[in-house]
Amino acid sequence: MEFSDEKKVKENPAECLLESIEIDHMVAYEKTSELRDLNQSDWKQSNCNGDMKKTAVETSQSFVGMRRRRKGFNMLRFLEGSIAGKEEEAWKAIEKRFRQLAPDGKLSRDKFGACIGMKKDTTDFAGELYDVLARRREIMAAKGITLQELRAFWDDLTKEDLDSRLRIFFDLCDKNGDGKISREEVKTVLEWSASANKLNNLEKESETFVSLIMEELDPDRNGFIEIEHMEILVRGMWSSEEEKRLQKQYSKLPASPILGICNTPAFLKETEEVIMTNWKRIWVLTLWVAINLGLFVWKFMEYREKGAFKVMGYCVCVAKGAAETLKFNMALILFLVCRGTLTKLRSTFLSSIFPFDDNINFHMLVAVAISVGTFLHVTMHLTCDFPRLTSCSNNKFMAILGPNFDFKQPSYPDLVASVPGVTGILMIIIMSFCFTLATPLFRKRKDKLPPLLQHLAGFNAFWYAHHLLVLCYVLLILHGYFIFLARDWYKKTTWMYIAVPVLIYVIERLVIKFYEFYHQVNVIKGVVYNGNVLALYLTKPPGFVYKSGTYLFIKCPDISNFEWHPFSITSAPGDDYLSVHIRALGDWTEELRNKFKEVCEPETKKRKGGIARLETKTFLDYVPSESSKKYPQIFIKGPYGAPAQSYEKYDILLLIGLGIGATPMISILKDLLNHIKQSDSHTNDAPKVPKRAYFYWVTKEQASFDWFKGVMDDVAEYDHDKIIEMHNHLSCMHEEGDARSVLITMLQQIQKSRGEEVDVVSGSRIRTHFARPNWEKVFEELASRHKGSQIGVFYCGPYTLVKELRGHCQNFSDSSRSTRFRFHKENF
């Protein structure tokens, strides 16, 4: 491992700028995109000159060389973010903050972190650094430091050689400055590191891990650790085997460009990729718009030729055209919430041409179209048609429209008070109320509403308000039946539009009631985890057939006889039970968790085999108490289709779950594991399954790993061919290489060197990575590893990550690459 000295830095600043790029397998890095842009520019130029191969080789060699020279620089970092190549700019910003925070010319200890750009929650760490740097420089810093002394501290923190950084880290651990780290100091630093990374479980078991560290770094049993032993471990954490693997991996990246890249405009490539990715949505939207326009124009032209046009003019044409689109969209919007029917259709050939994953988004779009159509229809009638009808001469009115109004010319109040007028007004009130409560402001931003409106916010208000639309459909039929300008029954077509969707909807509701009474489920087991998560294991009703990635609705009559809430199924189709994991995020889920906690007690005996082994025992693992009352009653309905169920179409999977969003992915992993076990048992009729699956689970709480610890251990135990590659990321931790997390990395390395399989962070056999993944790097690695493949990307989690993931899918699927990423999302 090589490092540049200060002389080399000064003599060749350009080289230092390149060397500042850090490539690490699991930790986010800052400069890779700049390097890729530089490489792509070189490829384009060499492609046009016929020297593509030579440039690619030279680029890959310099790329690997840069990584080797810079590896030590990011092994022990004390600053947040990357300042490599921008040290002087960073120092100017620090000078500016110094003048603001130290008007008297002396920077105090408690303001040191803010001055050098650290976050507010790192004040304690910044204070420790302050003390260590002052002790190393023999500066009396109790009353603060000057700008010159701050510059000296800054130089120490930004030195590029590992030895200097290791010395600072050692001094951070050596609290009394005697050049040795005692057992008590190791415990203090370990507890501090666990606290800084929010590792509560590790903090509770600090004594065990302190003994482990002392055994490894104090081989002579002196009772203290010396810097030489720590250096051996730190350097060994990045082994030559890992270095070679990464060099081989990244040296392949320049091979992806193809000929012709110089001549294809960027916007054409982007347009082509957008069309290829969204062709289902495009043609369905085009068809929907065409139908609406066709209906509008047809009805517009029909009334253009009728006698009513002579009285009301183009106003009646617009009103009737809008009304025709309203009939169609009111039928369509109901069909889009017939979940059972859509789930069945997903399993047919229609799924290859219709984007069933977007049914809710399409439902909302149709609602907007209904709003627009309603506005046009009502505006034309109230402001134009009604005034012209009432102001028309009596002779003209009787000659043209007399039969339609029983030969009585109505007044404006008569028209408003008629059956079409009253039903229309009531429909507008109901739809306005329902649409308002369905907006994001009322659904998910309750705290931003005035106190008087907050009781109308949330899922319950939305759910109950939407059921008022049943009345709206009744009013719609009455409105269409009593219209004035059509007398024959077959010309009153409103009921014709909505008959089929209403019938399908009613049948689905009856089927749900049938299953509710004749296919009840029993609770096999309830597990209450830290992190407000409840796991329910239920008996599997006869005939309940589902696919991994689907979801079901749950009702608990002990809480409410009317509320149904959706949850992803976490069991696999081949399991003889159903399981769901429910995070308590609202009133209903919180009440459900509390009810199960009341009738459960801690498990005293660890079970082996059967269903219990799927969730290993945790601090809050509960089983039924024989002396307590039975579990709360649970009803289910479903299963219903979801985007993740189409995973079988792909050979390569990228599964991404954030927090509780891992639930549909867990079902897929369990299904893959079941197929792996079948293949191990030499079953001949094993179905086709994906060849590789990469699972990225990002969670912000250490306790979250308990939710699916059994699944993670099963993957490690049975997946001998490494079909499933799991990456657990704990986002509350500082990045790997950060001084605040280095001790945790040391523990992981020590356990690995001893052959211990259980990770110190997750408690499972899957290693935990620190901080969030660098998604650009993840996609880049998969594009390089699986060239020419169709990769299914399935995401479940908050919407905040959707735009980034979709962008990477498009960027790494452009026409210059042979790999295609297909994005599927499910938000909560």
Side-chain angles (χ1 to χ4, degrees), residues 36 86 362 411 461 494 522 562 606 634 645 686 702 773:
R36 188 181 65 255
K86 302 177 182 178
F362 194 25
S411 64
T494 302
N522 296 318
F562 304 102
K606 186 176 181 180
I634 295 294
Q645 77 174 69
Q702 185 186 13

Side-chain angles (χ1 to χ4, degrees), residues 423-468:
T423 55
I425 292 172
L426 291 176
M427 280 192 290
I428 291 173
I429 294 173
I430 293 173
M431 287 194 292
S432 299
F433 181 69
C434 295
F435 290 3
T436 300
L437 297 190
T439 58
L441 180 63
F442 279 82
R443 282 290 308 275
K444 299 180 180 180
R445 299 174 186 174
K446 182 177 180 179
D447 56 323
K448 296 185 180 299
L449 290 171
L452 292 176
L453 296 178
Q454 288 186 1
H455 66 283
L456 293 175
F459 179 82
N460 287 342
F462 158 80
W463 181 256
Y464 290 124
H466 258 55
H467 282 75
L468 290 175

